[in-house]
Amino acid sequence: MKNFFLTAIAAFCLAVPSVQAADTGHIELPDIEWSFDGPFGTYDRAALQRGFQVYKQVCSACHSMDHLAYRNLSALGYNDDEIKAIAADYSRMDGPDDEGEMFERPMRPSDNFKNPYANEKQARYANNGALPPDMSLITKARVGGANYLYGLLTGYVEPPEGFEISEGQHYNAVMAGHKIAMAAPLSDDVVAYEDGSPTTVDQYARDVSHFLMWAAEPKMEDRKRMGVMVILFLLAFAGIMYKVKKKIWADVKK
Ligand code: HEC
């Protein structure tokens, strides 16, 4: 009986599903060590801030993040004044005012991230017909998540001999079919970091992937903490129940 109990607990612990899914057919994805990996993983605030900086200065020219509001950036460690200043760099239409006119005003922390395009047609027109997808949930929308993102951003390599690539397309090592309409968005030294981190494509790709992982799963840390608490509770509860069972059956056995 005791053995059965221990086996059951062990089986339960092992059955906690692994979040890693790095299989995209024949394409080998890089396997980066992220601080958010594993049951105790957490986000790295400094990496998130750098990643946001990369998104803001590079990716946001083409990619929206509709699900995020500026106030959500408090989770990255920015204070209220910093968030106000970040939001106020952008403007949006609002209204109507008392005279019935629409007007443009600076963004506020409660506003959602600015969309670079007014509508899908404008987005396609600006990108040779290709649509830059919204980045809010992109790490959830692609197999491999942050590893895929990192692989994509660092995957602009020379195509193999004889690989046909048409006008407006670029070779990418991890993109399905190896053709993507997005030109390599990153190059060394395009974003100036203030914390002394390397200003390389590799570092930018890590940081922006980290940021996009957080954007898609901002409550991951709470979820993991809760998972650990639940397991601890179940273990303690199993122990108590075992003691109770022994006590109840003690007389019977005698
Ligand atoms: C000049 C505009 C432009 C910039 C800047 C840009 N992208 Fe893109 N991106 C595109 C377009 C266009 C597509 C659609 C490509 C396609 O469908 O072939 C795309 C597609 C993507 C995809 C989806 C790939 C897939 O698997 O379907 C990801 C992820 C992505 N971009 C991430 C980024 C990140 C991160 C940055 C900033 C470092 C960035 N992009 C900067 C235009 C841009």
Side-chain angles (χ1 to χ4, degrees), residues 30-209:
D31 191 7
I32 305 288
E33 254 181 50
W34 303 100
S35 67
F36 50 76
D37 281 344
F40 302 102
T42 53
Y43 293 121
D44 170 349
R45 274 7 185 211
L48 289 180
Q49 290 202 5
R50 292 194 303 270
F52 169 62
Q53 201 188 343
V54 174
Y55 167 75
K56 182 173 179 264
Q57 292 182 14
V58 183
C59 325
S60 72
C62 302
H63 292 281
S64 57
M65 286 192 83
D66 285 344
H67 296 349
L68 275 197
Y70 292 105
R71 62 183 160 74
N72 299 137
L73 292 172
S74 62
L76 272 54
Y78 292 111
N79 64 35
D80 289 355
D81 290 336
E82 288 168 321
I83 292 173
K84 269 189 197 141
I86 291 169
D89 273 348
Y90 303 91
S91 63
R92 57 167 284 183
M93 293 305 287
D94 202 353
D97 63 11
D98 291 344
E99 294 165 14
E101 300 294 333
M102 301 302 282
F103 59 93
E104 198 165 344
R105 63 154 174 86
M107 291 268 204
R108 302 182 193 126
S110 58
D111 285 314
N112 281 20
F113 275 28
K114 173 105 177 169
N115 192 317
Y117 304 110
N119 49 55
E120 187 185 324
K121 286 222 168 91
Q122 196 186 53
R124 283 192 188 277
Y125 184 71
N127 289 283
N128 280 321
L131 183 67
D134 186 83
M135 286 287 119
S136 314
L137 296 171
I138 197 76
T139 54
K140 298 275 122 185
R142 294 291 181 277
V143 175
N147 283 328
Y148 175 76
L149 251 292
Y150 172 86
L152 185 82
L153 296 171
T154 55
Y156 288 90
V157 292
E158 279 297 311
E161 193 90 28
F163 190 91
E164 292 276 335
I165 201 111
S166 44
E167 177 84 20
Q169 297 280 330
H170 308 267
Y171 183 83
N172 188 285
V174 307
M175 181 77 177
H178 297 303
K179 287 177 189 162
I180 185 164
M182 169 171 76
L186 296 171
S187 50
D188 289 350
D189 302 322
V190 286
V191 176
Y193 280 157
E194 280 159 18
D195 66 359
S197 298
T199 53
T200 56
V201 169
D202 178 82
Q203 189 64 39
Y204 295 147
R206 280 169 197 266
D207 292 341
V208 79
S209 305

